[in-house]
Amino acid sequence: MAGLDLNRKIIEETRVKRDQDHFSVLLHSFPSEIADRTEYLSGRIKTNPAFALCRVLAGLALCGATVAGIPCNTAHSPAIFEPLLKQIRKKRMKIRLLNMIEETGRFIHQEHPKLKRAGLLCTLGTYASGVYPKWFSKFDLAVILPPVQIRKAIHAAIYDNTYGIKAKPSPVTVRARQVFIRAVAELKKCGADGIILGCTEIPLALTEKKLFGLPLIDPTRILARSLIREIR
Amino acid sequence: MAGLDLNRKIIEETRVKRDQDHFSVLLHSFPSEIADRTEYLSGRIKTNPAFALCRVLAGLALCGATVAGIPCNTAHSPAIFEPLLKQIRKKRMKIRLLNMIEETGRFIHQEHPKLKRAGLLCTLGTYASGVYPKWFSKFDLAVILPPVQIRKAIHAAIYDNTYGIKAKPSPVTVRARQVFIRAVAELKKCGADGIILGCTEIPLALTEKKLFGLPLIDPTRILARSLIREIR
């Protein structure tokens, strides 16, 4: 569903009037072949999802894709993303993979210059990976994490079998949405002046542009814009 | 956007609890390479879109797809769909293409046995092609077309540069939605006991299950279910 969300945002951010003026887009979704990224980072799964992601990128390249993005924040953790980039170079694949987290930092730097302390909503895997602090420091942006209990609640609102977005993505449950709203309120108390919807499932639940006066930054929409920029 | 709608409906119709339990789906969208189907049927374009559609199917097969559907009613017109099937056989492609219109007739026959007179909302190309009467007669279903002025209004609500769904798909304009609602009222007066949303753009505007007491039949959702059935 996060892949569809990215594809929809590519269409929305392309201002044209006829079908034929839109960009070619290939969306490859192989959920059974790509192990859960958080499970890998926490050591419960042995095989790095980077290898399966690399096979998907190879298939996209085979069909003519020249630039690609992965609508999954956790997949951008250095332990997954760096081996993936290495494989792409090693196999001399003719496809350029954008880094959604780096693109998000650049976007905030350029479009929200007053935003300096980004509150982060994401999975436990992404929190543990430190991928946001890593890339955001390049753009002089602080990253604020909520207290650990709230992090666990956010993770559950994504993964829970009964009310999580992955199980109930369309429509999202009220319970999942409430968890994210409370987390934004808490991050505001912690001093955040903007919120990163740092799991590609979260924009499905929080569709507003601002909450409690803080801009909600959607890395999926930023990735869509960056893909359009690269294709142009 | 119709492709995304089909993909979303495949996910919605798959009742599972984890990402990894979903089916693999490849969505290939090459809008600049596939000429407008109605333009071809009306003689304003010379090259049959069947050839470009065949190339897209070949790419999908190359990446491992074994069964495919095309979320475009007009592409099912015999003048396009039959040459396409012929190409698939000739090239001995290892991919099976479902016929969305035939699947819709079968679905109504099985799931709505009392529905006997289907009112049709679609593009001028689909109206002119006779594809719905052709396949629906196999299932003993009558097809009711609205008066010609309303057909033109429906076509415009799909194609118009300023308010049509193809130009403004997300969100759909109020004006486009109103055209479809009025057409359903008119088809009811003409004796329809069910409505076919016979252009894959229309379910984006009419999301309810019933209107004026008539069931709204969404061929995109039926195609999603048929693809799942074939993969299972």
Side-chain angles (χ1 to χ4, degrees):
Chain A
M1 202 58 96
L4 296 186
D5 191 47
L6 172 61
N7 200 334
R8 186 173 61 80
K9 283 164 183 166
I10 292 171
I11 297 172
E12 285 176 1
E13 296 286 334
T14 313
R15 277 153 228 280
V16 298
K17 292 187 174 173
R18 303 184 315 150
D19 278 7
Q20 284 71 26
D21 297 332
H22 278 277
F23 296 109
S24 292
V25 178
L26 298 90
L27 176 64
H28 283 195
S29 187
F30 290 91
S32 65
E33 294 178 31
I34 298 175
D36 188 82
R37 284 67 68 195
T38 292
E39 295 273 297
Y40 171 70
L41 294 174
S42 64
R44 283 190 293 273
I45 285 173
K46 287 281 158 58
T47 310
N48 196 325
F51 298 104
L53 286 166
C54 189
R55 287 195 296 274
V56 176
L57 285 167
L60 289 166
L62 193 67
C63 288
T66 54
V67 58
I70 302 176
C72 170
N73 286 269
T74 315
H76 288 76
S77 303
I80 299 171
F81 206 74
E82 285 174 14
L84 174 56
L85 288 175
K86 204 172 153 186
Q87 284 287 312
I88 292 171
R89 279 192 301 267
K90 193 175 148 194
K91 300 191 171 183
R92 299 172 189 273
M93 284 162 56
K94 295 216 162 91
I95 193 163
R96 203 159 88 70
L97 178 61
L98 300 187
N99 181 323
M100 181 167 65
I101 321 298
E102 183 182 9
E103 295 296 330
T104 300
R106 178 177 296 123
F107 175 86
I108 293 173
H109 183 69
Q110 291 173 351
E111 305 289 329
H112 293 273
K114 287 182 185 165
L115 201 166
K116 288 293 169 199
R117 292 179 304 278
L120 183 61
L121 304 181
C122 62
T123 64
L124 290 174
T126 304
Y127 280 125
S129 74
V131 63
Y132 270 95
K134 176 189 158 167
W135 285 104
F136 275 29
S137 65
K138 182 176 164 185
F139 301 101
D140 196 24
L141 283 164
V143 176
I144 299 178
L145 314 188
V148 71
Q149 278 311 108
I150 290 181
R151 283 183 230 171
K152 285 180 182 168
I154 293 168
H155 190 86
I158 297 164
Y159 278 96
D160 189 88
N161 270 350
T162 57
Y163 67 91
I165 306 181
K166 283 183 187 283
K168 298 273 170 63
S170 180
V172 169
T173 65
V174 172
R175 183 169 171 189
R177 184 171 147 81
Q178 287 302 327
V179 167
F180 300 124
I181 291 173
R182 277 198 299 271
V184 172
E186 183 65 28
L187 283 164
K188 187 177 182 178
K189 277 191 219 162
C190 299
D193 51 13
I195 300 293
I196 308 295
L197 308 180
C199 168
T200 41
E201 256 79 24
I202 300 175
L204 309 177
L206 293 182
T207 54
E208 40 277 271
K209 287 192 172 173
K210 281 190 169 192
L211 200 59
F212 307 123
L214 303 188
L216 302 184
I217 306 290
D218 172 7
T220 305
R221 188 173 294 277
I222 294 165
L223 180 58
R225 291 167 62 129
S226 299
L227 287 164
I228 291 169
R229 178 196 70 212
E230 292 300 313
I231 284 292
R232 282 218 174 105
Chain B
M1 202 58 96
L4 297 186
D5 191 49
L6 173 61
N7 201 335
R8 186 171 63 81
K9 283 164 183 167
I10 292 170
I11 297 171
E12 286 177 359
E13 296 286 334
T14 314
R15 278 153 228 281
V16 297
K17 293 187 174 173
R18 302 184 316 150
D19 279 7
Q20 283 70 26
D21 296 333
H22 278 276
F23 296 110
S24 292
V25 178
L26 298 91
L27 176 63
H28 282 195
S29 187
F30 289 92
S32 66
E33 294 178 31
I34 297 175
D36 188 83
R37 284 67 68 196
T38 293
E39 294 274 296
Y40 171 71
L41 294 174
S42 64
R44 282 190 294 272
I45 286 172
K46 288 282 159 58
T47 310
N48 195 325
F51 298 102
L53 286 166
C54 190
R55 287 194 297 274
V56 175
L57 286 167
L60 289 166
L62 193 66
C63 288
T66 54
V67 58
I70 302 176
C72 170
N73 286 268
T74 316
H76 288 76
S77 303
I80 299 171
F81 206 74
E82 285 173 13
L84 174 55
L85 288 175
K86 203 171 155 186
Q87 285 286 312
I88 292 171
R89 280 192 301 267
K90 193 176 148 195
K91 300 191 173 184
R92 298 171 190 273
M93 284 162 55
K94 293 214 164 97
I95 192 163
R96 204 159 86 71
L97 178 62
L98 300 187
N99 181 323
M100 179 167 66
I101 320 299
E102 183 182 9
E103 294 296 331
T104 300
R106 179 176 294 121
F107 175 86
I108 293 173
H109 183 70
Q110 291 173 350
E111 305 290 329
H112 293 272
K114 286 183 185 165
L115 201 167
K116 287 295 171 196
R117 293 179 304 278
L120 183 61
L121 304 182
C122 63
T123 64
L124 291 174
T126 304
Y127 280 126
S129 74
V131 64
Y132 271 95
K134 175 190 160 170
W135 285 104
F136 275 28
S137 65
K138 182 177 164 185
F139 300 102
D140 196 25
L141 282 164
V143 177
I144 299 178
L145 314 188
V148 71
Q149 278 311 108
I150 290 181
R151 285 183 229 170
K152 285 181 182 169
I154 293 168
H155 190 87
I158 297 164
Y159 278 97
D160 188 88
N161 271 349
T162 57
Y163 67 92
I165 306 181
K166 283 184 188 283
K168 298 273 170 61
S170 180
V172 169
T173 65
V174 172
R175 182 167 171 191
R177 184 170 147 82
Q178 287 302 328
V179 167
F180 300 124
I181 291 173
R182 278 198 298 270
V184 172
E186 183 65 29
L187 283 164
K188 187 175 181 179
K189 277 192 220 161
C190 299
D193 50 13
I195 299 292
I196 308 296
L197 308 181
C199 168
T200 42
E201 257 78 25
I202 300 176
L204 309 176
L206 294 182
T207 53
E208 39 279 271
K209 286 192 172 173
K210 281 192 168 191
L211 201 58
F212 307 124
L214 304 187
L216 302 183
I217 305 290
D218 172 7
T220 305
R221 188 172 293 277
I222 294 166
L223 180 58
R225 293 167 62 129
S226 299
L227 287 165
I228 291 169
R229 178 196 69 212
E230 293 301 313
I231 286 292
R232 281 217 175 106

